[in-house]
Amino acid sequence: MTAEVVRIEGLHKSFDKLEVLRGIDLAVREHEVVCLIGASGSGKSTLLRCINLLEAIDAGRILIDRTDITLPGVDANKIRRRIGIVFQAFNLFPHMSVLDNVTLGPRRVLRLPRDRAEDDATELLARFGLADKRTEYPDRLSGGQQQRVAIVRALAMHPDLMLLDEITSALDPELVAEVLSVVRELAAGGMTMIIATHEMGFARDIANRVCFLDAGRILEDGPPSRIFSAPTEPRTRQFLDRVIAAGRM
Amino acid sequence: MISPSGLPAQPAVSTGRRRRDGGRSILIAVVSTLVFFSVIGWVIVSSPSWPLVQHDFFDAEVFWRYLPVIGSAFVTNIALFLITEVLVLILGLFIAVLRSLPGPVFFPVRLVAIAYADIFRGVPSLLIIYVLGFGIAGLGIPGVPNDPFFWAAVSLTLVYTAYVSEVYRAGIESIHPSQAAAARSLGLTQAQALRYVVIPQAVRRVIPPLLNDFIGLQKDTVLVSYLGLVEAFRTANIEQQSIFNYTPYLALSVIFLVITLPLTRLTDYLVARDRRRFLAGAR
């Protein structure tokens, strides 16, 4: 059995009076790909942002490699550099070229010399078909290209874990495939990932496990073959029926 | 019928009409402008005291005689605003960053920064120049210079840093938090996120309002004449009193326009360009 990368116990998170996460328990092992599905507002994004310490949690524990990262005095920056996150809206830095976007973390956080960071970035960009975009600025790229650059930017830190937060939701339908194929390649390479997604077909293909979130709880957790064909919870069935009716699966 | 470009004649007719419309609006604009300024000019020139005013304010001979004198005194104003602008650019950003430091620990720092910006924006520049230039300089503290140029630069720097820090702060706050979040998610510290991601974007965004404040600063250099600094305004003032003619002020106004107009036009151009970009970005 491979090692546990993430363990979440009894995680609660509220924004003012709105309780978004109401007791999440989840463990993810090395090389595992876990997809979070559920309606908008069910807490998928908030859960990912909590794992990366971008949101302060109210109760519970998050362990990364068996170290509790929610204890006071933990260096959040040290944790974050090992966890890559890719956002729905790409969040590339518009004032920097693609190369500078990708090398910012390695140069300023890992303190790599410029030429080494750039060699590394160039190699990663080439691997994902972006070699000729090195010197472009983000606003000159298509949405699909921007999102692939954002993935490369996260990968450049050589993270142990990748969090993907609905990374195809802001894309035109014809651009979704190129981004998903990048994620497939990462999965094939053994990257541990937690993926919040509305792409059910993709989740079924790529996930080792699928978690259905409803109102801030993980209602159902299992292999995609079971969740998608024989969900036990009525809420899961209802959600999947709606997704099928909407033609998203 | 085939137009010179080889295209069918139909579009050429419609562009032709548009061009004629363009020509007509230019004609209307020219006529309307001529009428407007002729009427105003006629009202002024035909007023009973016009010859007197013309002699006192628009004496061509006096204008050309004093333009070089005032121009060479204007070097002091240029030196003053160049030095002040550099200091303001640096200090303004520093104050803005202090004011955006998060957390309860930095509350006193934020408080001082807010109080500073409020006071120096709320008190007329002239009063600040008086208080610092005569008050502090008059204390006679050893080592503190009482050179009027020094205190002029200090006063203007303090006043305009207060304005510019607010401009920077607005720029910093206009950068979407997702940018800082993306930087933090790579492991950058708060300070690094500010330095490499937020501030570079904020500064680009506030260049037009910054230039606007600089135009104000350049004009306000005349205020320091009250400290006894013989700069361009004081020179014009001295000449006016010796010849009982106000034309030297006109000469100084023209000098100011030569300096500020290009900056004004540049600012307008940058504002228009930003708006075009914003509209293009909004799609």
Side-chain angles (χ1 to χ4, degrees), chain A residues 170-210:
Chain A
L171 294 178
D172 293 337
E174 73 268 24
L175 302 175
V176 169
E178 66 179 73
V179 172
L180 293 186
S181 78
V182 168
V183 182
R184 286 201 174 87
E185 195 186 324
L186 291 182
M191 177 63 77
T192 314
M193 287 188 280
I194 307 179
I195 305 174
T197 185
H198 287 295
E199 303 283 339
M200 296 304 151
F202 168 72
R204 189 163 52 186
D205 288 353
I206 200 173
N208 304 115
R209 265 165 63 207
V210 173

Side-chain angles (χ1 to χ4, degrees), chain B residues 64-144:
Chain B
W64 292 113
R65 179 148 46 94
Y66 286 99
L67 191 63
V69 181
I70 296 167
S72 58
F74 193 69
V75 172
T76 305
N77 299 66
I78 293 176
L80 189 57
F81 71 65
L82 285 182
I83 291 169
T84 308
E85 277 168 7
V86 172
L87 294 174
V88 163
L89 275 181
I90 298 164
L91 292 173
L93 185 57
F94 180 67
I95 300 283
V97 169
L98 286 188
R99 222 179 140 167
S100 60
L101 289 175
V105 186
F106 293 111
F107 179 74
V109 177
R110 286 197 298 272
L111 195 68
V112 169
I114 291 170
Y116 161 71
D118 284 0
I119 291 169
F120 280 83
R121 283 184 307 156
V123 177
S125 317
L126 188 55
L127 292 182
I128 288 172
I129 289 167
Y130 262 122
V131 168
L132 294 178
F134 291 131
I136 311 262
L139 289 175
I141 301 168
V144 175

Side-chain angles (χ1 to χ4, degrees), chain B residues 148-224:
Chain B
F149 186 89
F150 173 83
W151 286 106
V154 169
S155 314
L156 287 174
T157 300
L158 287 175
V159 170
Y160 276 88
T161 295
Y163 284 107
V164 166
S165 74
E166 285 301 292
V167 170
Y168 275 129
R169 192 171 68 96
I172 289 172
E173 283 175 0
S174 78
I175 303 301
H176 197 272
S178 64
Q179 283 288 309
R184 300 302 305 277
S185 77
L186 292 170
L188 269 72
T189 63
Q190 180 119 24
Q192 284 176 319
L194 206 56
R195 170 165 172 209
Y196 297 111
V197 174
V198 178
I199 289 176
Q201 294 183 60
V203 168
R204 276 177 182 77
R205 213 169 272 188
V206 299
I207 286 172
L210 273 183
L211 290 180
N212 245 335
D213 278 349
F214 278 180
I215 294 168
L217 166 62
Q218 295 178 359
K219 292 187 298 173
D220 271 2
T221 54
V222 300
L223 294 178
V224 306

Side-chain angles (χ1 to χ4, degrees), chain A residues 209-235:
Chain A
R209 265 165 63 207
V210 173
C211 298
F212 173 66
L213 266 78
D214 184 62
R217 286 197 188 87
I218 294 180
L219 217 55
E220 201 159 356
D221 179 348
S225 54
R226 188 180 67 70
I227 300 275
F228 286 116
S229 50
T232 51
E233 294 287 334
R235 293 282 301 133

Side-chain angles (χ1 to χ4, degrees), chain A residues 49 52 54 76-78 80-81 83-85 87 90-96 101 104-105 108-109 111 139 153-154 157, chain B residues 175-190 192-193 195-201 204-205 277 283:
Chain A
R49 293 173 65 89
N52 203 14
L54 285 174
N77 300 321
K78 240 179 184 156
R80 288 198 194 103
R81 70 175 74 160
I83 305 175
I85 186 163
F87 303 92
F90 328 140
N91 298 359
L92 291 177
F93 308 128
H95 61 299
M96 292 183 186
N101 263 278
L104 180 71
R108 303 300 167 194
V109 179
R111 306 257 167 227
D139 62 352
R153 182 174 69 179
M157 295 295 289
Chain B
I175 303 301
H176 197 272
S178 64
Q179 283 288 309
R184 300 302 305 277
S185 77
L186 292 170
L188 269 72
T189 63
Q190 180 119 24
Q192 284 176 319
R195 170 165 172 209
Y196 297 111
V197 174
V198 178
I199 289 176
Q201 294 183 60
R204 276 177 182 77
R205 213 169 272 188
R277 274 200 190 153
R283 256 179 283 229

